Amino acid sequence: MKNLVPSMENYTRCSDTNDPRDSFKLPKGKGGVSILWPNSWTNNVKKLKDGNERVIAILITTSQDICIINAYMPTCNTDSQYEYRECLDIIFDIIQKYQETHKIILCGDLNGTLLDSRNNKHDKILKSFVSEMGLSTGVNKDERHSFFHHAWSSSSQIDYILVNDKNLISKYNIDEKSSINLSAHTSVSVKTTIEIPANTKPANKNKKAKFKLQWDEMDKRQYNNLIQQDSISVIAENNVNTQMDMLKGPKWKASPEVQILLRSCRDLYKQWQEVGKQKDHPMATMLRNEKRKLRSKIRMEQAVSRQNLYQQIMDNPNSQLFYRLINRNRSNQQTSTNCLKIDEAYNFVPEEQRKSFAKYYEDLSVPKENIYENGYLNLCKIRQQLYEQAMDKEAEDPEQFTETEVMKAIGKLNTKKSADESGITAEHLQNSKSTVSPVLTSIFNNIILKRTVPVSFKFGILTPVLKKTKRSNYYEQLPGYNSYTYYWKNF
């Protein structure tokens, strides 16, 4: 495509890329999908990995961000409705991800018509989909046909440009069949109300993201100022669990859209708090609705990130992506596994899976005297009794920690180690000793005074260590399911 149109950049996939080829008799190619844009737009365009060989999509950054989806739908034949629905499901997922932030344009050979003159199985499915997604041609529908059979035995309108916002299109045109057009299709074009400014600055293809924090080059003053902003509210809180939640902060890099929703939720909560946290107050309803928007936006961004990783694994499988998949699956932000193998039986019900995990860890927590050597067990019991006696004596006036002790403990932390489940490393604390010490001192003193251990202290990261000869002990692909359906074989 680049050779044919050198002045344009393109994003192209062929519909028969993954079909097997027989060198004895090569079949005719089925074509594919391609989106082209001027070279000057390149910095404003992002190619999406969503889709398949028949569906591609790009994002264009402009005054109104646009998501363009190009589709070459399967032709109508025996049992083709299953593949047709599969392609529509992919288009549905893309629209769901980006409809809140982008204007949607769906175009291509949809191999189904929106005209009332025909109503085969593809037509019914397409009409239902377009109605459900709120898509249209934007202006009065053109009744002219866009497809003409080579033998002139039939014609129909199956090529479309559809949008989710009618104001996006100012003109819609289907060209007449021309004698110099050797294709069975005529061209369909629209004029949009959006102008895309040219960006002539070349993209820096060699630029790589830095994932390793450069602690030696950081601005410690700015870093401590950012922490200081929330320190006072943390110290003022008496509940240790609330303190820990306030201290941890977000575990991911929030997008600008999510940050706006977070600030809105925080402001609404303060206003609701000022009126006494009344459950039936209108402010409570507004807060719930805003939280619902926030959760929806986060889930959407996580879904995009997850699909991008899956597509990378499918396109270029390697050990690095494999371990990245394991790291994502062990995160509490991700969804649970689809299946557990318990007592040689497959269990797909989430509620039953939770009960199985609870039963397993409950059994682990129950003391079992027969698994310990008697001398060691008696020593543990004596230590426990002495600890309880010491705590009873200090209950009235317990000895508390000082900021100096906390700072000294921070200084002894080992550096260059893995982060915890909140993404905090020893370097984070050591580069902000004077700022975080009052907060940590308050938390640890509250633990002593309240005799309550924060829930977050009881969490940790479990890392399965894969062995070359026993790799199947940790995951296994379930027959009949896709490559991402894993289940724990051993707890």
Side-chain angles (χ1 to χ4, degrees):
M1 190 64 70
K2 186 66 176 176
N3 292 334
L4 293 173
V5 194
S7 62
M8 308 282 280
E9 288 290 338
N10 75 90
Y11 185 24
T12 305
R13 286 178 183 167
C14 299
S15 68
D16 50 4
T17 297
N18 296 325
D19 288 352
R21 285 287 177 266
D22 187 352
S23 59
F24 176 72
K25 184 179 180 180
L26 291 176
K28 177 184 176 181
K30 297 179 182 177
V33 282
S34 185
I35 302 176
L36 296 94
W37 60 89
N39 291 329
S40 59
W41 291 10
T42 299
N43 287 344
N44 299 82
V45 177
K46 177 183 178 182
K47 301 177 183 178
L48 297 180
K49 294 185 178 180
D50 306 72
N52 60 7
E53 285 70 36
R54 289 183 173 273
V55 179
I56 60 175
I58 64 171
L59 301 180
I60 303 180
T61 303
T62 179
S63 57
Q64 295 185 60
D65 293 342
I66 307 171
C67 175
I68 298 180
I69 307 169
N70 191 8
Y72 171 35
M73 302 296 284
T75 53
C76 189
N77 51 45
T78 305
D79 296 331
S80 62
Q81 67 269 24
Y82 302 111
E83 186 181 3
Y84 196 88
R85 289 185 185 276
E86 181 181 351
C87 289
L88 283 182
D89 287 341
I90 294 173
I91 296 172
F92 174 84
D93 288 339
I94 298 174
I95 294 177
Q96 283 289 94
K97 291 177 186 176
Y98 298 104
Q99 64 181 352
E100 292 188 8
T101 56
H102 292 72
K103 302 292 185 181
I104 304 297
I105 300 178
L106 170 62
C107 56
D109 179 1
L110 303 185
N111 266 311
T113 186
L114 300 178
L115 298 180
D116 298 330
S117 58
R118 200 181 75 179
N119 208 26
N120 64 29
K121 55 188 178 183
H122 282 197
D123 301 335
K124 293 178 181 178
I125 297 172
L126 179 62
K127 290 173 183 177
S128 175
F129 176 81
V130 169
S131 175
E132 179 186 354
M133 303 307 297
L135 300 174
S136 69
T137 55
V139 293
N140 294 333
K141 191 190 305 181
D142 196 325
E143 300 292 331
R144 285 181 293 179
H145 290 183
S146 63
F147 171 80
F148 302 88
H149 194 275
H150 286 289
W152 292 94
S153 58
S154 63
S155 62
S156 60
Q157 185 187 92
I158 60 176
D159 305 277
Y160 289 98
I161 300 176
L162 306 173
V163 294
N164 66 343
D165 184 356
K166 294 182 179 180
N167 297 323
L168 197 62
I169 302 297
S170 60
K171 185 178 179 181
Y172 192 100
N173 181 61
I174 299 176
D175 288 343
E176 296 287 350
K177 181 65 176 175
S178 169
S179 58
I180 61 174
N181 180 9
L182 302 182
S183 170
H185 299 259
T186 61
S187 59
V188 179
S189 61
V190 297
K191 183 177 181 180
T192 69
T193 57
I194 297 178
E195 294 184 2
I196 302 177
N199 188 348
T200 56
K201 184 179 178 180
N204 187 2
K205 298 182 178 180
N206 297 322
K207 186 177 180 180
K208 295 183 179 179
K210 294 183 179 180
F211 296 97
K212 186 176 180 180
L213 294 174
Q214 306 297 318
W215 293 104
D216 296 336
E217 302 176 9
M218 68 172 291
D219 186 341
K220 289 189 178 182
R221 185 175 181 179
Q222 182 181 4
Y223 173 62
N224 281 272
N225 287 338
L226 290 173
I227 298 175
Q228 187 68 41
Q229 293 175 6
D230 296 322
S231 297
I232 298 175
S233 58
V234 176
I235 295 174
E237 179 63 47
N238 291 325
N239 187 292
V240 291
N241 287 306
T242 306
Q243 283 184 311
M244 291 304 301
D245 290 338
M246 296 168 68
L247 183 64
K248 287 189 294 185
K251 297 181 181 180
W252 84 107
K253 186 178 180 181
S255 65
E257 295 84 0
V258 171
Q259 289 178 356
I260 293 173
L261 291 172
L262 281 171
R263 284 193 293 269
S264 177
C265 287
R266 191 179 296 115
D267 294 340
L268 286 172
Y269 178 79
K270 290 180 180 178
Q271 296 174 26
W272 181 51
Q273 194 176 33
E274 291 176 357
V275 298
K277 293 187 178 180
Q278 302 174 19
K279 293 184 179 179
D280 55 348
H281 196 277
M283 197 63 66
T285 304
M286 293 174 62
L287 179 60
R288 281 196 298 270
N289 293 336
E290 200 68 14
K291 284 183 176 180
R292 191 176 293 115
K293 292 179 183 178
L294 174 61
R295 288 194 295 269
S296 176
K297 184 62 181 176
I298 292 174
R299 283 195 294 267
M300 184 186 303
E301 292 185 356
Q302 289 175 347
V304 173
S305 175
R306 188 162 54 249
Q307 290 300 324
N308 288 342
L309 174 61
Y310 293 165
Q311 191 62 45
Q312 288 180 37
I313 294 174
M314 296 297 293
D315 294 341
N316 183 29
N318 55 59
S319 59
Q320 184 179 3
L321 290 176
F322 170 74
Y323 284 107
R324 186 178 168 191
L325 178 63
I326 291 179
N327 289 333
R328 288 179 65 94
N329 287 342
R330 77 184 183 190
S331 170
N332 57 8
Q333 292 184 358
Q334 304 300 322
T335 55
S336 58
T337 181
N338 292 337
C339 177
L340 283 178
K341 185 177 181 182
I342 305 168
D343 297 329
E344 301 303 321
Y346 300 124
N347 192 328
F348 292 88
V349 183
E351 183 62 32
E352 296 299 325
Q353 292 176 358
R354 286 193 290 269
K355 290 180 180 179
S356 299
F357 270 112
K359 183 178 180 300
Y360 174 76
Y361 286 106
E362 182 181 356
D363 182 63
L364 278 182
S365 64
V366 175
K368 299 177 179 61
E369 297 190 4
N370 58 343
I371 66 172
Y372 295 112
E373 192 268 327
N374 289 333
Y376 176 75
L377 182 61
N378 291 331
L379 180 60
C380 290
K381 291 180 177 179
I382 293 172
R383 287 174 176 170
Q384 178 66 18
Q385 292 174 358
L386 293 174
Y387 173 77
E388 292 176 354
Q389 292 173 5
M391 290 299 294
D392 290 337
K393 290 180 180 180
E394 294 188 6
E396 297 180 359
D397 186 21
E399 183 180 354
Q400 299 186 31
F401 296 102
T402 64
E403 293 183 18
T404 303
E405 292 174 330
V406 173
M407 292 180 66
K408 186 176 180 180
I410 292 175
K412 292 182 179 180
L413 292 175
N414 293 326
T415 58
K416 298 181 180 179
K417 300 295 181 182
S418 299
D420 64 4
E421 60 269 25
S422 300
I424 297 176
T425 63
E427 286 84 353
H428 282 102
L429 300 177
Q430 290 184 347
N431 284 281
S432 59
K433 272 197 252 184
S434 58
T435 307
V436 301
S437 291
V439 179
L440 295 179
T441 304
S442 173
I443 291 173
F444 285 113
N445 285 336
N446 271 333
I447 293 174
I448 294 175
L449 295 172
K450 306 291 184 181
R451 292 199 179 188
T452 302
V453 178
V455 175
S456 59
F457 278 20
K458 303 173 184 178
F459 286 91
I461 297 177
L462 269 176
T463 305
V465 181
L466 304 178
K467 301 178 181 178
K468 293 181 179 179
T469 57
K470 296 183 179 180
R471 190 172 183 177
S472 62
N473 285 348
Y474 299 97
Y475 77 96
E476 186 172 312
Q477 185 173 342
L478 194 61
Y481 289 83
N482 61 43
S483 58
Y484 305 113
T485 304
Y486 298 112
Y487 62 94
W488 291 108
K489 188 173 181 182
N490 292 328
F491 285 77

